[in-house]
């Protein structure tokens, strides 16, 4: 038999601290449960045991505490967000059939030791899974330890690897600890003798008993001998405290640790309640049926009825449609009714449904909008499941039907095809999501912004952005020449050729061969990230060459080469726009990401020359002026900031004059630049240390800048404090339009995690409101272009920038329209300002 014995407390702590805070929508922390189960499943796969025992500590004092009151006295209590997960984890382990072992008066280590002893005595193999090195003392014949360092893997320890790493055999680790002690467990050891001295003593003399029995005869330095004599009692106490007990009174019948048959339904229900849907798939659990909660009743098995006519379907007030489209091509479609799932047998029937004008309730509206747009007609979308689920839970990793049915307790009928079963249950899911949207007062956000925006994004994807393919190729060739020139300059400066893209080889060249100052070397080598190289650039000119090499190489590979591959047969790039990816509400772009075209360097901006308008057209480009600062002024209600925007005063110059106590006309470009960093830094909750690095001043100076800023804009500081307090009470922050972002980090015990939550609480309402505004503007611009019968079309959105491709004869009208709709998107207490420009290329329109 092979027994896997898991140190439950050790592994759960590794999981808890190794994963960012995860919570359910109701604020229940789940990261420890998720991490523990993920690590356990990997260990089971690696070890392939016949039986499993999971040991946990109890709160009651152990025999060690009774012997030494200060044992582990310096340990902090378990964080509340971990403590709330322990009973959930144990409940889940029970449902999955894992035997849990506890023993009052003993620690989990003692349970590991006892069970490993029994295995060895019976000739069975025992693998101990733990994150605690104390268990290494148990290693022997038939006993090994898998030491979990993090979520990604374990290190296998055998007698040989212990000897190689520590210089002693596993059992001698007890003797070493007796002398060196253990500060983490408050084990005293021998005062003044550390790990090196303790190891040398045990290597030479074997045991603590031998040392003290022959203390006067041994060749030990007088100073060390005195320390040993003075701390003899502590040495024996420490050995007792550090030695794992091999005779804990637990069940030692190994057959009792064979896993029981899991209660799959209860396990799946608990995982669904904890919103750990990926675990349901990982553990291959079936979809959960919750008939008491489900109001959309169904037959025991899914019944699919072929549909050759939609006459009866079109009599319904709304149509619940599940449709699969690939690149605007019809694959399959189904209509969910009260009794059956109707299979739409042809594309002609689908077109009849979409052209009917009936409200379509669906799981993802954008592909339907794109399909209809390509066919030349519009559709009426009455509900979009993925968009609704995104608004209700913006941190979720996916919004597929199977997950959502489990998450919202919607019953699904039995079927080999779980997707179609969930498609049948869409009406019940829509009912639950709709009720939540109304309860959260997100009706306007959902129906007036997000669903109309899906139509706009679908059209943008269909239209695409024209590019100069040959121009990109030529530019790529020029970059290739630059790359070779830079490589040769770097080789000349270093003195030999090496792989510049290899961090290991680059680290050796910079820090060993050129002797540049390096931070502490880690197991993986020297750090050569951008931040490190920026700091090093003042020491040697080769560092600037390396930074430029990286910039040019990335432009060539990431942009020039990949962009050419993405050009469709019509000569345009059709990027995909995602509404449900970011937590802030921003739209993202993929395949390719056109929102990430470089703009900060002239070399990067050159790429925009190759994005162009089609023949006879120009690009009309408009972007908001300082939209996030204007939103901040409105939300915070700071009169000084509001007045600056109302009077059209340059906010960065005004800030500089106040921060540096200088008349406006005497503000230098450097002062304005630093004030600009403060302005935008405040929006993102920047601290003095980060600001000092950004603008190249001392931390003290940066702290003074922030304090002076907040003194001149007092309501900004009040807002920052108030929004954090409100977020702590509510568990979330909101934009002006009611978009929520949930912040479990605010209740975390870890300072850094909590500080992150506070920064997000300050920033999310601002960034999220700015995202809502640009979305509203996109919908209004698209509607007006069509209402006025113009040929111009919106083709791209990049954060606070919109680009319209317009015939030359429409360009002035479109520029005015674009500016008007962007500036009137919402009504704030400060004016929204949008500035429009035109050009044949994206570069020209932005210049």
């Amino acid at each position: 038999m092979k027994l896997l014995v898991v140190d439950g407390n050790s592994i759960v702590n590794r999981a808890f601290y190794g994963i960012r805070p995860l919570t359910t929508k109701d604020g229940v922390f789940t990261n420890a449960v998720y991490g523990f189960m993920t690590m356990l499943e990997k260990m089971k796969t690696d070890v392939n045991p016949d039986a499993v025992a999971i040991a946990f500590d109890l709160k009651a004092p152990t025999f060690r505490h009774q012997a030494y009151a200060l044992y582990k006295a310096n340990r902090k209590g378990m964080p509340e967000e971990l403590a709330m997960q322990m009973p959930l984890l144990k409940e889940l382990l029970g449902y999955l059939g894992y035997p849990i072992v506890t023993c009052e008066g003993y620690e989990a280590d003692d349970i590991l030791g006892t069970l490993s002893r029994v295995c060895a005595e019976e000739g069975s193999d025992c693998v101990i899974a733990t994150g605690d090195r104390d268990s290494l003392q148990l290693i022997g014949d038939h006993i090994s330890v898998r030491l979990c360092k993090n979520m990604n893997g374990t290190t296998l320890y055998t007698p040989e690897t212990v000897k190689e790493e520590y210089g002693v055999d596993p059992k001698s680790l007890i003797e070493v600890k007796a002398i060196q002690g253990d500060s983490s467990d408050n084990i005293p050891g021998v005062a003044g003798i550390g790990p090196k001295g303790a190891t040398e003593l045990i290597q030479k003399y074997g045991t603590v008993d031998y040392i003290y029995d022959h203390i006067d005869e041994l060749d030990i330095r007088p100073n060390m001998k005195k320390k040993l004599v003075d701390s003899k009692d502590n040495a024996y106490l420490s050995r007792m405290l550090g030695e794992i007990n091999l005779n804990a009174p637990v069940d030692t019948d190994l057959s009792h640790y064979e896993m029981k048959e899991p209660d799959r339904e209860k396990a799946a229900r608990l995982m669904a309640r904890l919103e750990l849907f990926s675990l349901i798939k990982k553990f291959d659990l079936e979809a959960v049926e919750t008939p008491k909660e489900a109001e959309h009743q169904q037959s025991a098995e899914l019944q699919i009825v072929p549909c050759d006519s939609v006459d009866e379907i079109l009599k319904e007030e709304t149509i619940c449609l599940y449709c699969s489209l690939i690149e605007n091509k019809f694959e399959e479609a189904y209509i969910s009714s009260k009794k059956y799932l109707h299979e739409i047998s042809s594309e002609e029937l689908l077109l009849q449904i979409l052209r009917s004008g009936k409200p379509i309730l669906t799981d993802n509206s954008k592909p339907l909008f794109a399909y209809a747009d390509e066919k030349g007609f519009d559709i009426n979308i009455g509900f979009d499941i993925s968009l609704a689920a995104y608004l209700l839970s913006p941190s979720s990793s996916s919004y597929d039907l199977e997950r959502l049915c489990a998450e919202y307790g919607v019953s699904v009928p039995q079927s080999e095809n779980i997707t179609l079963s969930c498609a049948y249950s869409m009406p019940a899911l829509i009912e639950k999501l709709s009720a939540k949207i109304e309860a959260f007062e997100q009706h306007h956000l959902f129906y007036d912004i997000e669903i109309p925006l899906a139509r706009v994004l679908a059209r943008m994807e269909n239209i695409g952005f024209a590019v100069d393919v040959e121009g990109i190729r030529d530019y790529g060739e020029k970059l290739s020449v630059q790359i070779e020139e830079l490589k040769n300059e770097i080789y000349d400066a270093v003195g030999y050729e090496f792989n510049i893209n290899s961090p290991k080889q680059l680290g050796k060249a910079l820090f060993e061969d050129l002797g540049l100052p390096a931070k502490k070397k880690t197991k993986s080598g020297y750090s050569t990230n951008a931040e490190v190289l920026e700091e090093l650039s003042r020491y040697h000119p080769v560092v600037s060459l390396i930074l430029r090499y990286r910039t040019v190489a990335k432009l060539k590979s990431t942009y020039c080469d990949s962009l050419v591959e993405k050009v469709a047969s019509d000569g345009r790039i059709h990027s995909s726009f995602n509404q449900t990816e970011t937590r802030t509400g921003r739209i993202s772009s993929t395949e390719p990401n056109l929102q990430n075209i470089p703009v900060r360097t002239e070399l990067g901006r050159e790429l925009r020359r190759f994005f162009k308008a089609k023949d006879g057209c120009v690009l009309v480009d408009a972007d908001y002026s300082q939209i996030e600062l204007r939103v901040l002024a409105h939300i915070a209600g700071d009169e000084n900031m509001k007045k600056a925007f109302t009077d059209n005063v340059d906010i960065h110059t005004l800030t500089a004059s106040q921060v540096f106590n200088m008349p406006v006309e005497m503000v230098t470009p450097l002062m304005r630049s630093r004030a600009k960093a403060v302005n935008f830094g405040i929006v993102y909750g920047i601290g003095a240390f980060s600001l000092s690095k950004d603008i190249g001043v001392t931390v003290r100076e940066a702290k003074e800048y922030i304090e002076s800023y907040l003194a001149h804009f007092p309501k900004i500081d009040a807002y920052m404090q108030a929004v954090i307090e409100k977020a702590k009470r509510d568990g979330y922050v909101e934009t002006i339009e009611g978009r929520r972002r949930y912040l479990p980090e605010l209740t975390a015990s870890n300072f850094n995690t909590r500080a992150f939550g506070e920064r997000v609480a300050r920033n999310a309402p601002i960034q999220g409101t700015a995202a809502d505004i640009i979305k509203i503007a996109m919908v209004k611009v698209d509607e007006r272009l069509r209402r006025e019968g113009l040929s111009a079309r919106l083709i791209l959105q990049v954060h606070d920038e919109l680009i319209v491709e317009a015939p030359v004869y429409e360009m002035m009208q479109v520029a005015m329209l674009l500016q008007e709709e962007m500036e009137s998107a919402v009504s704030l207490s400060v004016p929204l300002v949008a500035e429009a420009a035109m050009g044949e290329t994206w570069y020209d329109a932005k210049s």
Side-chain angles (χ1 to χ4, degrees), residues 329-341:
K329 299 294 188 295
F330 172 76
E331 292 289 317
E332 59 180 352
Y334 297 85
I335 303 292
S336 178
S337 70
K338 294 177 182 178
K339 293 184 179 181
Y340 307 111
L341 189 66

Side-chain angles (χ1 to χ4, degrees), residues 129-150:
T130 180
D132 189 348
R133 291 178 179 270
D134 287 345
S135 294
L136 297 181
Q137 65 182 266
L138 299 173
I139 294 173
D141 293 340
H142 296 287
I143 304 169
S144 61
V145 167
R146 282 187 172 269
L147 193 67
C148 304
K149 296 182 178 180
N150 51 48

Side-chain angles (χ1 to χ4, degrees), residues 508-529:
K508 179 180 181 299
L510 294 178
F511 304 117
E512 295 179 11
D513 299 330
L514 292 181
L516 299 184
K519 293 183 178 180
K520 186 177 179 181
K521 187 177 181 181
T522 64
K523 288 183 179 180
S524 58
Y526 300 101
S527 172
T528 58
N529 61 30

